Amino acid sequence: MEIRPTTDQDLDVFVDTLHAAFGRFPETPTEGGGVWWSALEMDRNLLAMTADGQPVGTAGAYSFELTLPGEILVPAAGVTAVGVLPSHRRQGVLSAMMRHQLTELRARGEFLSVLLASEALIYRRFGYGPATYTQRLTVPRHQAALALPRARGTADAPAPGSVELLRRAECGEILEAVYDRYRRAQPGALSRPHRWWASGAGQPPVSPAPRYVAVHRDADGVPDGYASYSVVELGTLTVDEIIATDDAVFTALARFALGHDLVAQVVFKHFPPEHPLRWQLADFRAGQVSDDTDWLWVRLLDVPRALTARGWFMDGELVLDVDDPLLGEHGRYLLTVRDGKADCVPTDREPDLSLDVSDLGSVYLGGTAPSTLVRAGHIRAHRPGAAILADALFRAERSPHCLHWF
Ligand SMILES: CC(C)(COP(=O)(O)OP(=O)(O)OC[C@H]1O[C@@H](n2cnc3c(N)ncnc32)[C@H](O)[C@@H]1OP(=O)(O)O)[C@@H](O)C(=O)NCCC(=O)NCCS
C-alpha cells in the first residue's frame, strides 16, 4: 500500500472514496446546498492506494488557528475527511495514514493537530485526547424566565444595544466578522477561514441553509453577537449557535430566543458546559442537558513548544513524564510557570505526573482536570498534591469550547 499526497486533480476521487467509506453519495444534497468539500485543501490531503492503484483510504487537514488559554492564537492542523473503504477495514490502512500524516505535520513545523471524532474509540491510539466538550440545552418556554441577579457592587445594566432580525442570506459578512472577534478570545475556538463562509462549507449558519439570524449590536451599532435559529419542527425553536463577544450579549440573545412566541421549547445546540446562562434562569432546573459529549480532540506534536505557547494563570512547577507510544518517544520535562509564561525543558528530576501524550492533549486547553484523569487511572501522580497543583496550573481563564464543525 502507498500513501500519497493529493493535488487538485484528485478532488473527485478523494471525495468519492471518502463518501464510500461513510456509505453516502456525494450527490446527496446537504442542508442548504453548501458542499463541505469546497473547503478541502488538496495540498494537505492523503490518499491510501493499493498496489494495483485502487484508492482505499483518505485523510486530510485544514489550516486553522486555534485559540489557546490566554487569548493566544496558534496554527493547528484540523484533521478531517478520514475514511477507509468498508472492503479494506481493519488491515492497518488508517494506522498507516495517521503515522504518515503526523510525521508530515511535524516536518511542516506544526506542533498541534485537532479533530472531531466520529467514534470515541478511534483516535486515542494515535495520541489524541478529548479536550473540549459540548452539550444541548433544552428550555421549556413556560420555564424560560431569566432572573438576573444584581451583581454586588456593579450596576445592574443589561447589555446596551439592540437586536435586529435578518435572514441568513442577508448577513454572511456580519456573521464572519462577529465569529472572528469571538473566537480570538475563546480558548478552544477555531478560526473559520473566509473560504468556508464564501462557499457555505459547513453546518448552519456557515452553510446557506435558510435561517433567521438575530444580530446583536452594541450602543454604537457595531455587531457584537448573533443567534442563528429556525423553527423546523413545530413547537421547537432550535438555535444552531449563539456567538457573542461577551457574556451580557450572550444573555441578550438567549433572552431573545427564549422570548419567541408560539414555541413550546427552545433547544440550544453546541451549548458550552459550565456556561453561566443556567444560573441566570429563574428556575435552575429549567435547562435540561442532553447530548453531553466530547467535541475537539487535541494531539501535541511537540510537547515543549505546545506547553510554552499557551498562557498560564498561576505560578508553579511540575515534572511531567510523557509517553508517546505511536511515535516511539518518551520525554521528561520540567514545566516552570512564572508571570503567565512557561518554560519547558528536559530534566532528570523525579516526575510529579506520568501520562500518555493523549492525556496531555486532554488537559492542554484547561477543559479536563488532570485530577479526574488521575482518578480514572489514566495519569499517575507520584506525590500527594501533584494532581491538585496540575488542576490549578492547567485551568484556563474560562472553560474551552469549540463549536466549529469540520
Ligand atoms: C474508522 C476507520 C477510518 C478505521 O480504519 P481502519 O483502516 O479499519 O483502521 P486500522 O485497521 O488502522 O485500525 C487500527 C486499530 O484501531 C481499531 N479501530 C479502528 N476503527 C475503530 C472503530 N471504529 N472502533 C473501534 N476500534 C477501531 C482497530 O481495531 C485497530 O486496533 P488494533 O490495532 O488493536 O488491531 C474506518 O473504519 C472508517 O472509515 N469508518 C467509517 C468512517 C469514519 O468513521 N471515519 C472517521 C471519521 S472521524
Side-chain angles (χ1 to χ4, degrees):
M1 199 186 45
E2 183 207 359
I3 313 281
R4 70 161 177 84
T6 60
T7 65
D8 287 346
Q9 280 68 48
D10 295 310
L11 179 65
D12 289 349
V13 74
F14 186 90
V15 169
D16 210 54
T17 307
L18 181 64
H19 278 97
F22 279 87
R24 304 220 178 148
F25 294 97
E27 297 80 10
T28 309
T30 50
E31 193 185 359
V35 289
W36 64 266
W37 60 89
S38 56
L40 284 174
E41 299 173 33
M42 290 307 288
D43 57 337
R44 302 202 62 169
N45 295 343
L46 300 173
L47 267 175
M49 315 287 293
T50 57
D52 58 356
Q54 194 198 345
V56 293
T58 59
Y62 295 117
S63 309
F64 289 136
E65 238 175 22
L66 171 67
T67 306
L68 302 182
E71 301 191 10
I72 289 163
L73 309 179
V74 295
V79 171
T80 187
V82 170
V84 172
L85 291 187
S87 50
H88 287 73
R89 277 184 194 152
R90 307 302 179 263
Q91 298 167 32
V93 177
L94 175 65
S95 305
M97 289 195 298
M98 287 287 109
R99 261 206 193 83
H100 189 107
Q101 188 181 52
L102 291 173
T103 312
E104 207 175 53
L105 293 176
R106 268 190 170 175
R108 294 171 74 116
E110 307 211 29
F111 62 95
L112 282 176
S113 62
V114 297
L115 55 78
L116 311 183
S118 63
E119 290 181 281
L121 286 172
I122 303 174
Y123 290 103
R124 197 182 283 278
R125 74 189 72 236
F126 304 121
Y128 290 86
T132 78
Y133 305 90
T134 191
Q135 45 185 227
R136 176 178 291 244
L137 188 75
T138 302
V139 182
R141 260 305 299 293
H142 70 274
Q143 289 172 293
L146 296 184
L148 301 186
R150 183 180 292 270
R152 286 199 189 97
T154 63
D156 181 18
S162 58
V163 174
E164 181 188 14
L165 188 59
L166 296 172
R167 305 283 175 95
R168 168 65 185 87
E170 299 167 338
C171 60
E173 283 167 19
I174 294 177
L175 304 189
E176 184 174 349
V178 171
Y179 181 85
D180 197 57
R181 263 178 74 191
Y182 143 85
R183 64 98 184 173
R184 288 167 185 274
Q186 172 61 56
L190 289 170
S191 57
R192 278 179 176 161
H194 174 71
R195 59 195 297 216
W196 287 69
W197 293 103
S199 62
Q203 292 188 342
V206 181
S207 92
R211 286 292 187 273
Y212 290 103
V213 183
V215 174
H216 189 275
R217 294 177 190 274
D218 68 14
D220 297 325
V222 178
D224 57 4
Y226 67 77
S228 153
Y229 71 92
S230 58
V231 180
V232 175
E233 209 182 305
L234 206 61
T236 299
L237 185 147
T238 301
V239 180
D240 307 304
E241 58 186 36
I242 292 185
I243 294 296
T245 51
D246 78 29
D247 287 335
V249 173
F250 193 105
T251 307
L253 288 165
R255 190 199 288 280
F256 178 90
L258 291 167
H260 203 284
D261 283 337
L262 294 179
V263 299
Q265 59 178 7
V266 176
V267 174
F268 297 93
K269 286 162 79 176
H270 302 301
F271 195 74
E274 293 185 36
H275 193 278
L277 182 70
R278 288 187 73 195
W279 292 89
Q280 296 176 326
L281 289 161
D283 177 348
F284 186 79
R285 294 185 195 167
Q288 294 151 16
V289 172
S290 60
D291 296 344
D292 189 8
T293 190
D294 55 279
W295 191 260
L296 198 68
W297 291 56
V298 170
R299 213 281 182 208
L300 273 53
L301 298 162
D302 180 334
V303 171
R305 212 168 141 203
L307 291 179
T308 49
R310 58 158 281 183
W312 301 83
F313 300 91
M314 201 190 98
D315 291 352
E317 243 182 41
L318 272 179
V319 176
L320 303 172
D321 202 52
V322 185
D323 238 346
D324 191 338
L326 185 84
L327 298 177
E329 293 171 5
H330 170 256
R332 188 174 296 174
Y333 306 98
L334 171 62
L335 174 73
T336 310
V337 183
R338 295 272 174 275
D339 302 327
K341 290 206 176 309
D343 236 16
C344 183
V345 291
T347 183
D348 293 331
R349 275 171 52 170
E350 286 302 304
D352 295 309
L353 301 173
S354 297
L355 68 173
D356 188 272
V357 71
S358 60
D359 295 320
L360 194 54
S362 287
V363 303
Y364 178 61
L365 297 174
T368 313
S371 63
T372 304
L373 299 189
V374 170
R375 292 172 62 199
H378 279 251
I379 297 183
R380 198 159 150 226
H382 297 278
R383 63 172 177 82
I388 300 298
L389 172 60
D391 282 2
L393 265 186
F394 275 90
R395 234 187 128 78
E397 67 271 45
R398 58 160 79 182
S399 257
H401 190 244
C402 179
L403 42 60
H404 183 54
W405 175 89
F406 61 99

